[in-house]
Structure formats: C-alpha cells, structure tokens
Amino acid sequence: MLAKKFARARHEGQRYGEFPYYIHLDEVERLAQPFGINAMIVAQLHDVLEDTTTSVDELVHDFGDKVALAVSYLTDPVAGDRSDKKRQLNQRFLQLDESDEAARLALIVKACDRLSNVKACRLFHPEKFVMYQKEHSEFRKAAYRYGLCEMIWWELDMLIEVGDKIARY
C-alpha cells in the first residue's frame, strides 16, 4: 500500500514510546479497516502533516483531495499548549458534517487514533492515560457522531470508564 510506504518513509526514526512509530500507524489502520480503504489510507497518514515536513499539496498529489482534506482535519493546530490545541481541534471536529466523505473519514480515524493511544497508554504510560481520561468528555462531545463507528467508541468509553474505576482502588 502506497500510504503505508509513504508514512513509514516520512516518520522514519520517530518513536511511539519505545516502539517505531509505524506500530501506532498500523494499529490505527487495523482499527479503521472495517470502514474501508480510504479510512485505512487516512489512518496511515493521520500524523504526517503534524509530525513531518510533508505538505498538504504532496498529499493531494499522491492521494487525492478527499484524503488530503481528511488528514488536514486531523492535524493539530500549530500554536498553543496541549489544552489550547485540543480545544481548537475539538472546535474543528464539532463543525464537521459527517455526510461529507472527508469529514466522515477524519471522524472515524480520530476515534481509531484515540482508541489506539488510550490502549497503549493504559499499558505503558499511566500518566498519559489519566490525561486522556480528563480530556475524554470534551473530546467525545466534539468527535462522536451517532452510528458512525459505534464499536470503536464503545471500546474507548469502556477503557476510559474501567480505567477510572481501577484508579479509585
């Protein structure tokens, strides 16, 4: 798959905790697989604008307008600390209309990305897991759409809730 080769080349040398970055990209792609080939492509590319020197024009050239737009929807704003960036990103997600294909892809892949991150942090970085728990309510209000990827959201909600109960004991 071109997207996988492209993403691996662009993220070369980057790490996802103690693992090569492509481990995360492959997990997000695996979660996005039931939603089609374009979701799998966006999953591989979802961090490429944010974490590399790749331009939107390169994505348009290699993968088309729809994929490039979906990836741009997923890209964190440049300015601000984490809470500012997440607030801006959530505002963007709130405005997306899931009847638009690029928006639909972005919302699906964002849920898959968050699930991947929460699963990894629960195992390897409990302090980041707590951060995701604190962000979950606002994130869910912004990115969840009824009927879009219910099983992804169900698993994500359960991990957040179970983690919260474990943390209390």
Side-chain angles (χ1 to χ4, degrees):
M1 179 197 286
L2 176 63
K4 189 175 287 199
K5 285 176 70 174
F6 185 94
R8 285 188 184 196
R10 297 303 168 104
H11 288 285
E12 181 69 35
Q14 293 179 0
R15 308 292 292 171
Y16 186 74
E18 50 277 348
F19 303 103
Y21 202 78
Y22 70 81
I23 297 294
H24 170 62
L25 301 177
D26 289 353
E27 171 65 4
V28 178
E29 178 189 350
R30 185 188 68 74
L31 292 167
Q33 187 269 332
F35 305 99
I37 189 70
N38 282 338
M40 294 167 67
I41 291 168
V42 172
Q44 281 291 330
L45 301 173
H46 77 274
D47 282 333
V48 78
L49 295 176
E50 190 174 306
D51 295 342
T52 77
T53 59
T54 304
S55 71
V56 173
D57 290 340
E58 288 176 274
L59 293 181
V60 169
H61 179 267
D62 290 345
F63 302 100
D65 291 334
K66 188 183 334 175
V67 167
L69 185 56
V71 174
S72 69
Y73 286 149
L74 294 166
T75 301
D76 274 357
V78 177
D81 63 12
R82 181 179 174 86
S83 65
D84 289 336
K85 289 178 183 183
K86 295 308 171 191
R87 192 169 23 263
Q88 291 174 57
L89 197 57
N90 285 343
Q91 277 301 119
R92 185 184 306 150
F93 293 150
L94 275 169
Q95 295 170 10
L96 294 181
D97 176 359
E98 72 272 16
S99 67
D100 173 75
E101 181 66 6
R104 186 183 77 78
L105 290 168
L107 291 165
I108 289 168
V109 171
K110 188 59 194 180
C112 294
D113 176 43
R114 183 58 64 104
L115 177 56
S116 173
N117 287 333
V118 166
K119 287 165 93 174
C121 288
R122 205 161 165 249
L123 290 173
F124 301 112
H125 302 284
E127 70 288 347
K128 284 187 178 179
F129 180 76
V130 170
M131 173 193 72
Y132 284 122
Q133 284 181 302
K134 290 177 183 171
E135 293 175 351
H136 186 68
S137 177
E138 290 305 310
F139 171 70
R140 192 180 205 293
K141 285 178 197 168
Y144 173 79
R145 301 297 189 281
Y146 178 77
L148 189 56
C149 50
E150 292 295 330
M151 290 308 294
I152 298 294
W153 281 101
W154 180 85
E155 187 174 354
L156 180 56
D157 289 342
M158 291 304 104
L159 284 173
I160 293 291
E161 185 179 322
V162 167
D164 186 45
K165 286 180 175 28
I166 291 169
R168 284 189 246 155
Y169 294 101

